[in-house]
Amino acid sequence: MARLLDPVLENDWHAVYLSSELKEKPIGITLLGERVALFRNSRGVQALRDLCIHRGAMLSKGWMKGDEIVCPYHGWRYDGEGRCVCIPAQPAGERIPPRTRTIAYACEEKYGFVWICLGEPAGSVPHFEEFADPAFRPLPCGPYKVKAAGTRVIENFTDFAHLMFVHQDLLGHPDYAELPDIQVVKEQDRIYIENIPIFQPVAHSGSDKQDGTTYVYRKEVFRPLSGRLSKTDPGNGQTLWILLTVSPVAEDECLVFMLVSRNYGFDADDANFIRFQDIVFDQDAQVIESQKPELLPLDLQAELNHRVDVFSVAYRRWLKELGVTVGTV
Ligand code: FES
Ligand code: CO
């Protein structure tokens, strides 16, 4: 797969792996068509181009020796900065030229994810204050592999009208599909909507007026492939926050990471919250993978935009303004 050239996404941070899953063995991931080897050493998580400069073997198929990653083909060893520090076949003590190195990428661990940037980081890893707030309990969910453009996943995140259909009986019901007027606020580095009431009936069972809760949503997209939402029950203040960040593997393939954070139900089983998210996201993925064209059309005439699609239209406009090319058409 060729490297996808997109200066905006290249200089952005992307969550690529669950911290808890990166242990003593190096692993390989793909971001924007580029293969990257991740490993841990005493200085933290490191990310190198997953290509040995000697004969192009994948470093991620190798192993660790101390702080260095060993290429499985002829045993060349690289440090976390990408310098080749040992060539076993050459006489000990012989110098290794400084240009004998591979590319090291910016890499950080935050919120339970490993984040990398292939280019020059344009900013820092997104800030998510709920993660540090002791009133909330954050849970990493996913990653979910989706055979679709990451932009389609974020657009689905901006969409309310699907809750009553794709997630019926979990997050809404077709009998309560009418949406209020939605005003999008655009700031320099984000677009958001707030105070959106969505009625969620309890175990809907007919046409009678149902019991249920009207939740208040806020949704924000703050990077081309990252957004977050809050869903609050105004009756008791119970709030669920979701950070959603999508890693673009290829033009039409992505990996979705979520951080689900709640300020209630601390004695409930965390596994149930993760399972619920797995089910909800699987419902989204089924539809997203079916969409044509696979890439998100930024030409607003290309699909039919309804008044209720105002947030997704704002997202498309923002991507165009930023100049995001991967996952768009
Ligand atoms: Fe990596 Fe030869 S290909 S050491
Ligand atoms: Co959905």
Side-chain angles (χ1 to χ4, degrees):
M1 190 193 309
R3 168 86 169 260
L4 300 169
L5 299 175
D6 185 315
V8 181
L9 297 182
E10 192 165 300
N11 296 331
D12 207 350
W13 289 97
H14 303 277
V16 292
Y17 213 68
L18 286 179
S19 275
S20 57
E21 297 289 307
L22 184 60
K23 302 192 173 120
E24 54 291 329
K25 235 185 83 47
I27 64 101
I29 60 104
T30 303
L31 177 64
L32 290 165
E34 183 72 35
R35 296 198 304 204
V36 179
L38 300 178
F39 57 93
R40 269 183 202 286
N41 65 14
S42 62
R43 304 179 63 184
V45 177
Q46 314 293 337
L48 299 184
R49 188 173 191 211
D50 198 1
L51 185 90
C52 180
I53 49 168
H54 179 220
R55 287 293 177 267
M58 283 173 82
L59 297 176
S60 62
K61 292 193 183 296
W63 55 89
M64 297 302 295
K65 185 172 163 80
D67 272 357
E68 292 141 18
I69 186 169
V70 184
C71 175
Y73 200 176
H74 311 98
W76 290 24
R77 298 209 304 264
Y78 296 83
D79 67 11
E81 277 83 57
R83 272 186 303 260
C84 176
V85 293
C86 175
I87 298 178
Q90 82 175 20
E94 203 171 286
R95 182 173 162 273
I96 298 171
R99 65 178 185 82
T100 316
R101 57 182 309 148
T102 187
I103 299 169
Y105 298 116
C107 181
E108 265 187 48
E109 265 184 301
K110 219 169 175 184
Y111 315 131
F113 305 137
V114 174
W115 301 76
I116 64 173
C117 172
L118 296 181
E120 289 297 321
S124 38
V125 172
H127 183 59
F128 193 52
E129 59 270 26
E130 293 72 26
F131 192 81
D133 184 342
F136 283 82
R137 162 142 37 187
L139 285 177
C141 295
Y144 307 109
K145 194 174 169 181
V146 188
K147 190 77 194 102
T151 49
R152 283 281 192 196
V153 174
I154 296 292
E155 180 175 85
N156 169 260
F157 168 82
T158 65
D159 183 285
F160 275 106
H162 81 284
L163 297 183
M164 303 78 182
F165 293 87
V166 174
H167 309 299
Q168 59 177 288
D169 293 327
L170 290 180
L171 300 177
H173 191 276
D175 290 354
Y176 303 91
E178 202 177 305
L179 290 173
D181 268 340
I182 296 173
Q183 305 291 334
V184 181
V185 182
K186 185 170 184 301
E187 289 177 357
Q188 198 200 343
D189 56 352
R190 69 194 61 230
I191 48 175
Y192 67 89
I193 54 178
E194 53 191 1
N195 296 320
I196 312 295
I198 301 287
F199 181 68
Q200 194 175 310
V202 181
H204 192 82
S205 59
S207 55
D208 298 351
K209 181 86 185 115
Q210 291 294 306
D211 282 343
T213 307
T214 300
Y215 291 97
V216 177
Y217 282 78
R218 181 184 189 281
K219 286 190 180 189
E220 171 181 312
V221 180
F222 56 88
R223 294 300 310 147
L225 295 176
S226 298
R228 58 182 185 172
L229 69 78
S230 65
K231 174 184 175 183
T232 302
D233 178 346
N236 55 20
Q238 291 189 350
T239 298
L240 188 77
W241 272 99
I242 298 180
L243 167 76
L244 178 108
T245 185
V246 181
S247 192
V249 174
E251 187 104 77
D252 59 353
E253 188 185 329
C254 63
L255 210 49
V256 178
F257 292 84
M258 274 186 215
L259 192 67
V260 175
S261 195
R262 66 188 196 269
N263 68 353
Y264 60 93
F266 282 15
D267 15 318
D269 190 354
D270 286 345
N272 288 338
F273 284 87
I274 296 174
R275 206 169 305 124
F276 183 81
Q277 219 47 54
D278 291 350
I279 294 169
V280 167
F281 192 77
D282 185 58
Q283 293 175 332
D284 285 316
Q286 304 278 339
V287 173
I288 296 167
E289 289 183 344
S290 79
Q291 286 179 287
K292 297 274 181 206
E294 285 82 356
L295 310 184
L296 191 69
L298 299 190
D299 171 5
L300 297 181
Q301 304 307 316
E303 288 183 331
L304 211 144
N305 291 300
H306 187 274
R307 186 170 45 84
V308 298
D309 299 318
V310 61
F311 196 33
S312 82
V313 166
Y315 175 57
R316 291 178 185 209
R317 285 209 172 101
W318 194 44
L319 289 181
K320 193 165 188 173
E321 208 176 291
L322 292 170
V324 174
T325 55
V326 164
T328 66
V329 70

